[in-house]
Amino acid sequence: MDKATTKELLLFIQKSILLIKRRFKPIKKSDDFLNSDDGLDRLDAISMRLQAIGEALKNIDKRDRDFLLLVESKKYWSQIIKTREILTHHYIDIDSEIIYMICDEKIDELQKNIEKLLEKLS
């Protein structure tokens, strides 16, 4: 990911968000992640994509610290990057309720912010 351009990373994030939304569609409550093998597979797949999104944002931030700030605050982006750290280093502690909340309440906002960043590159 380090060698990808900022635009490639943003497009990767955009694609990941679409995959997360598709995988999350049948999930109606956080327990749906835990009640079946299909739910656990979805939790794992969504968690991996969230981790990859955080990694991509971390790389963008390393490359150009001010670019992400064009559309949202440092605190906003650092929360997403910190989520990546938790998913990477504390995978055993993944909380299905937090993953549910991210998918249910936060992913649309992230999608809009990524679209704004892509517009800035145009």
Side-chain angles (χ1 to χ4, degrees):
M1 248 189 228
D2 279 342
K3 302 215 186 280
T5 67
T6 297
K7 185 173 184 175
E8 289 170 332
L9 290 170
L10 290 171
L11 290 171
F12 171 80
I13 293 169
Q14 195 175 47
K15 179 181 177 182
S16 293
I17 290 169
L18 292 174
L19 287 169
I20 288 169
K21 288 175 132 185
R22 180 175 57 80
R23 291 170 179 159
F24 183 68
K25 204 170 215 159
I27 303 295
K28 304 302 178 207
K29 57 188 184 305
S30 63
D31 285 347
D32 291 346
F33 282 129
L34 306 174
N35 290 336
S36 68
D37 285 341
D38 179 64
L40 288 169
D41 289 346
R42 288 176 190 280
L43 178 63
D44 288 344
I46 290 169
S47 297
M48 181 58 78
R49 283 292 170 165
L50 291 171
Q51 179 183 17
I53 287 170
E55 181 68 22
L57 289 169
K58 184 176 172 182
N59 281 298
I60 292 169
D61 189 49
K62 266 197 279 186
R63 187 175 298 153
D64 182 359
R65 292 207 174 269
D66 295 330
F67 179 68
L68 296 175
L69 301 179
L70 293 173
V71 300
E72 199 45 87
S73 71
K74 176 116 178 109
K75 180 180 178 185
Y76 174 83
W77 297 113
S78 66
Q79 287 176 332
I80 297 169
I81 293 168
K82 285 179 186 173
T83 299
R84 174 235 172 251
E85 302 295 330
I86 292 167
L87 291 170
T88 301
H89 300 293
H90 304 282
Y91 192 79
I92 198 162
D93 297 328
I94 288 177
D95 185 335
S96 64
E97 290 179 15
I98 292 172
I99 301 300
Y100 181 87
M101 182 274 301
I102 291 169
C103 295
D104 190 50
E105 300 173 17
K106 305 289 184 183
I107 206 76
D108 288 335
E109 179 183 10
L110 177 59
Q111 185 175 29
K112 288 175 187 162
N113 286 330
I114 296 304
E115 289 168 5
K116 289 178 190 174
L117 289 171
L118 281 164
E119 289 172 13
K120 302 278 184 197
L121 292 176
S122 299

